Amino acid sequence: MKVNKKIKVLCFTDDAVGRDVEMLLPIRYFSENYLNCEFFHALNIDIHQIYKIKPDIILQANTIGSNLYFEISKIAHEQNIPIFALISEGNFRTDGSFNYWGFNRDKKFYQEYICCWSERTANFLKEKEPSYKNKIVVTGGVGFDRYSIYEFMKKEDFLKKYSKQNFKKVIGYAGWAFGKLDHKRGREELLYWAKGDKEKLEWIERQRNLVRDILKKAIENNPDTLFILKQHPQENAPERPEPVTNEMSELAHYSNVVYLCNEESIHDLISVCDIWTCFESTTALECWLMGKQTIFINPDPNFNRDPLYKGSPLVKNYFELQTLINEYYKTNRIDEYFSKEKEEIRKNLTKDIIGFGDGFNHIRACYYFNHTLEKIKKGEFNSKYNFHFWHWLVYILTRIAAPFYNRYLFSKLWKLKKHLWVFENYKMEKLQKLYQNYIPYYQKFYKKHNINSEILKNIGLINTID
């Protein structure tokens, strides 16, 4: 490879916005500015882009989160195209209950490095998969860097956008996966979570109703407070565009409620809220990074789950929730949240879950990304780009049908209704716009911390500056 030739990076994501995109955009910024890379983006269903673009390297948020992510990783392996991947769900349990292979049917890691969020998960994988020990590294949770880098939506801007300027108090709620009870795929996923115990599905339905009733009372008894109810992003199924029934959907009609699915980024919603609540959600950790106080609503707190709830006050009923709401709006703080015990728990959980909360996790990941790029420059990969008829057909049919796309019409067609997301996002325009919006934040963060080529070269992150 010529020294000054840019390295082509083909970046696959499952959407044009959202969690996986947020993980990869900081990598793009660093790589474009310091590693001489050129980026191309595609949905993970658009696999023909491998043949069309002929990338030097493929970048993904994970290789196990879907059949498509896994298929791309296997294709890359078979065609000697290096693939660099992060882990989207890096806060996994190390008690043996978590299937860390996900959709990876081969149970082989095809990526160059296995980028763990924390020492806890890295040590676990090294013990379970010793043959990959040299590939397992700790980068921290890259997607959490945004809480140290970006500026988020202001409350007054959100209220104006949704014509809710008459409210001063705002409380957020992050939905759980209750809506998965509403469709076949979701029930199967919940049953897997419940380890095959069908009675657990009845427990989930009871919890859904109890949480709904707690939220309903809070909404009705606090008419001067706006409640932002955020649906879980993975609650529905692609083949089922109809809205699900969850713990929030029956409350959307209240005048002091804004019920959202994917309309806003989770970090913007956290930013505009005074308090953040949930049944069970990793958004609690995101709140801590943004300095927001959190409350867990658990009518039955005794179930198998991550220890995140230990860092927040926990309420079992409406009266306990209302007590904490009153306390916050009277004193601007929830005393239990700021107890020494809770603060120490949150500190330890942050380290245990995402490794680092300083905004530099994407640079840690790029340290290993750069190692892969150095191998490319040395000609260690003899990449092939084999034409695949089915991938080409998907590519062509998408482009042919796209000009005629109508969401209502396509949602009625059996073969097309599960692919509405493709027609709405295949051009990746939302992603490109998002990246342009983020560039000033990256520039400001890098300037603030004096991150430049010379410093990166001195610490061994960059071997050569092209």
Side-chain angles (χ1 to χ4, degrees), residues 185-378:
R185 179 191 293 197
R187 287 193 298 274
E188 291 173 351
E189 292 173 355
L190 289 175
L191 199 58
Y192 180 84
W193 172 83
K195 299 180 180 179
D197 184 0
K198 293 183 179 180
E199 291 185 2
K200 203 68 175 179
L201 297 184
E202 297 177 5
W203 177 88
I204 292 172
E205 177 63 21
R206 289 196 300 272
Q207 298 306 302
R208 184 191 80 82
N209 292 333
L210 289 170
V211 174
R212 177 202 60 199
D213 292 344
I214 291 172
L215 290 173
K216 181 180 179 181
K217 289 181 181 179
I219 291 165
E220 290 177 343
N221 294 333
N222 295 274
D224 63 337
T225 302
L226 180 67
F227 287 81
I228 300 175
L229 309 180
K230 174 67 169 68
Q231 181 184 345
H232 189 283
Q234 303 297 322
E235 197 169 41
N236 214 333
E239 69 273 13
R240 185 184 183 279
E242 297 84 7
V244 295
T245 298
N246 54 34
E247 75 273 42
M248 304 165 287
S249 56
E250 297 166 88
L251 309 175
H253 65 281
Y254 284 94
S255 60
N256 60 330
V257 165
V258 174
Y259 177 47
L260 300 171
C261 298
N262 298 313
E263 296 87 347
E264 304 288 350
S265 298
I266 191 67
H267 47 243
D268 282 329
L269 298 183
I270 293 172
S271 175
V272 305
C273 289
D274 305 318
I275 311 170
W276 191 256
T277 66
C278 63
F279 175 78
E280 171 79 356
S281 175
T282 55
T283 58
L285 176 58
E286 298 169 57
C287 291
W288 303 345
L289 295 175
M290 294 177 67
K292 297 289 183 173
Q293 298 170 53
T294 52
I295 301 171
F296 276 66
I297 302 174
N298 294 144
D300 178 5
N302 299 314
F303 61 97
N304 186 27
R305 54 175 166 164
D306 292 323
L308 268 175
Y309 70 96
K310 297 179 180 179
S312 303
L314 186 153
V315 299
K316 299 178 183 178
N317 53 56
Y318 159 71
F319 300 102
E320 293 177 357
L321 175 62
Q322 189 62 57
T323 298
L324 295 187
I325 292 174
N326 293 342
E327 181 183 0
Y328 175 85
Y329 285 114
K330 184 178 180 180
T331 65
N332 206 34
R333 60 181 279 133
I334 299 171
D335 284 343
E336 184 183 352
Y337 179 86
F338 288 104
S339 69
K340 288 184 179 181
E341 179 186 6
K342 295 292 186 188
E343 288 187 335
E344 187 65 22
I345 288 173
R346 289 195 296 274
K347 179 182 176 181
N348 292 334
L349 283 172
T350 299
K351 180 180 179 181
D352 201 40
I353 294 171
I354 65 169
F356 313 90
D358 54 11
F360 299 131
N361 290 332
H362 69 288
I363 298 179
R364 295 182 179 95
C366 282
Y367 177 85
Y368 298 102
F369 185 63
N370 184 57
H371 280 319
T372 307
L373 300 186
E374 291 299 322
K375 291 181 183 179
I376 295 172
K377 293 176 184 177
K378 293 175 183 176

Side-chain angles (χ1 to χ4, degrees), residues 381-446:
F381 298 96
N382 183 23
S383 300
K384 299 175 291 183
Y385 305 95
N386 297 333
F387 179 82
H388 191 290
F389 175 77
W390 174 250
H391 297 155
W392 172 81
L393 185 62
V394 171
Y395 172 85
I396 290 297
L397 290 177
T398 300
R399 272 69 185 176
I400 291 174
F404 307 99
Y405 174 69
N406 177 282
R407 184 176 179 84
Y408 176 79
L409 177 62
F410 278 38
S411 67
K412 302 298 180 182
L413 302 175
W414 179 70
K415 281 291 186 180
L416 294 177
K417 69 178 184 178
K418 67 170 67 176
H419 294 111
L420 301 182
W421 63 283
V422 178
F423 296 107
E424 294 174 354
N425 295 297
Y426 77 94
K427 292 182 179 180
M428 305 302 276
E429 293 172 330
K430 295 177 184 176
L431 183 149
Q432 299 295 355
K433 181 179 179 180
L434 194 65
Y435 182 60
Q436 292 303 315
N437 290 339
Y438 285 165
I439 287 177
Y441 299 141
Y442 296 133
Q443 292 172 335
K444 185 177 180 180
F445 180 79
Y446 276 52

